[in-house]
Amino acid sequence: MEIALESTVFTHGFDYPHNIEIAMRLEQVARDNGCQPRTIGIINGEPKIGLSENEINDLANHENVLKAGVRELPYVIGKKLWASTTVSATMRLAALHSIKAFATGGIGGVHHGKWDVSQDIMELSRTRIIVVSAGPKSILDLAITSEMLETFGVLTVGYKTDQMPAFYSRNSGIKILPVDTVDEIENIFQSMDSLGMRSGLLVFNPIPEEYEIPDIIVKGWVDKAEQDLWKNHISGKQVTPYLLRKLAEYSDGRTIRSNKMLLENNVLLGCEILKAMSKHEE
Ligand code: PSU
Ligand code: MN
């Protein structure tokens, strides 16, 4: 049972040394739960489906690492570059290798007030794999992201919740279809196959209560961070790394701790889903 993990979270999401610590910890959580971790990234133009510990270190410390979505994969492979893979690129590479589940933190979506829509949504609509996430990234427009997921036909379910989780907090107030067990998730994934749906299944798994940060507090930090963004003319792929760094700064590291715990929680659920799938395949 292989579980896919992404590399952008440690190349662009966290700074050293948290980044390496978290990457290693997630692999360990997978192993402790009976799965083989496959952290995906591109080394010198070569997609690695399961980076070694050394390669994770090299990728995290390499001075010129591109953040590659699925669109950029041919570019970084063709030009033999070093790249981390976002949710969209990780999904594609994992699915190509018949990996059935992928655990991540936040998926990309729609940013506030501008036409900045992540490739993650497009890829979820066309690549068959189960993606476990704690909600769209907190810096996004959640209502529009939820609408966009619908438009692209991305089936999105909430694990033991009927509200879309909002990354650092468990509830966004936006309705979502609930599921109660990993067996239900597996049944739904099989049904998609029998209906000829080749899209991904997005499973939103709320952050554990003890690490939750109330929405209202996060919003204050996000507003401030967005003003910094605007003042410093940051755009495109720099947006997420910049905002995450600012949130860590304003929260005195609290967002880092929460981010780490929700990632672990998602790896756990990913492994449970894989176990349910393998039980039924026997
Ligand atoms: N969520 C985080 N940190 C991140 C990301 C998500 O808390 O670094 C990464 C994921 O790899 C996701 C990507 O796929 O950001 C989306 O980036 P963009 O909005 O540029 O598509
Ligand atoms: Mn974007």
Side-chain angles (χ1 to χ4, degrees):
M1 293 189 302
E2 296 174 303
I3 186 162
L5 302 167
E6 60 153 306
S7 43
T8 299
V9 69
F10 67 82
T11 57
H12 293 71
F14 296 100
D15 289 328
Y16 186 83
H18 301 289
N19 58 348
I20 301 285
E21 229 174 82
I22 289 168
M24 296 305 162
R25 174 79 192 132
L26 295 182
E27 293 220 328
Q28 195 52 47
V29 171
R31 282 189 207 99
D32 291 347
N33 286 280
C35 282
Q36 288 115 36
R38 297 284 182 252
T39 302
I40 295 179
I42 317 282
I43 304 256
N44 206 11
E46 200 185 323
K48 299 279 180 183
I49 313 303
L51 293 157
S52 68
E53 188 170 337
N54 279 340
E55 288 170 334
I56 287 177
N57 265 291
D58 289 349
L59 193 60
N61 292 311
H62 199 271
E63 75 278 7
N64 216 351
V65 174
L66 232 95
K67 172 182 157 189
V70 68
R71 176 185 75 155
E72 288 84 36
L73 280 179
Y75 182 82
V76 296
I77 295 169
K79 280 185 63 104
K80 302 198 182 344
L81 303 178
W82 289 60
S84 66
T85 52
T86 65
V87 169
S88 66
T90 308
M91 283 179 72
R92 177 66 62 103
L93 291 170
L96 274 174
H97 287 79
S98 307
I99 298 176
K100 303 263 171 19
F102 163 29
T104 183
I107 58 152
V110 187
H111 283 270
H112 289 283
K114 47 190 157 77
W115 274 101
D116 183 345
V117 183
S118 176
Q119 295 180 63
D120 291 355
I121 294 182
M122 175 74 99
E123 193 59 17
L124 279 160
S125 75
R126 63 185 178 195
T127 293
R128 185 168 157 75
I129 185 167
I130 296 176
V131 179
V132 183
S133 155
K137 297 186 289 188
S138 50
I139 48 185
L140 299 173
D141 187 322
L142 297 190
I144 308 267
T145 298
S146 157
E147 294 295 338
M148 202 62 105
L149 285 166
E150 182 190 354
T151 305
F152 278 82
V154 179
L155 179 55
T156 309
V157 296
Y159 185 61
K160 298 186 197 284
T161 181
D162 65 354
Q163 279 199 47
M164 186 160 102
F167 202 71
Y168 299 118
S169 55
R170 294 173 60 82
N171 296 319
S172 63
I174 297 166
K175 283 281 169 207
I176 191 176
L177 298 168
V179 291
D180 296 313
T181 63
V182 286
D183 288 315
E184 285 179 4
I185 294 172
E186 200 238 329
N187 289 340
I188 292 167
F189 194 56
Q190 295 315 330
S191 309
M192 290 169 73
D193 197 31
S194 58
L195 291 163
M197 292 166 73
R198 305 306 302 164
S199 45
L201 172 59
L202 180 57
V203 178
F204 277 146
N205 185 29
I207 185 172
E209 236 166 270
E210 56 272 43
Y211 302 109
E212 182 174 29
I213 311 176
D215 238 6
I216 185 83
I217 301 183
V218 177
K219 270 208 186 84
W221 297 330
V222 171
D223 286 349
K224 252 169 72 176
E226 279 189 329
Q227 279 173 29
D228 300 332
L229 189 78
W230 187 76
K231 271 188 239 145
N232 292 296
H233 309 288
I234 309 245
S235 62
K237 290 191 186 288
Q238 301 315 315
V239 169
T240 297
Y242 183 86
L243 290 179
L244 288 177
R245 197 164 295 132
K246 283 286 164 193
L247 292 189
E249 185 187 315
Y250 293 142
S251 70
D252 235 343
R254 196 169 157 198
T255 53
I256 296 180
R257 170 119 192 107
S258 292
N259 201 338
K260 186 173 160 206
M261 298 318 289
L262 67 82
L263 279 161
E264 286 191 30
N265 192 45
N266 291 343
V267 173
L268 261 171
L269 179 57
C271 289
E272 291 309 313
I273 295 170
L274 284 167
K275 270 184 227 165
M277 292 173 100
S278 76
K279 211 168 54 199
H280 292 146
E281 275 161 13
E282 276 163 13

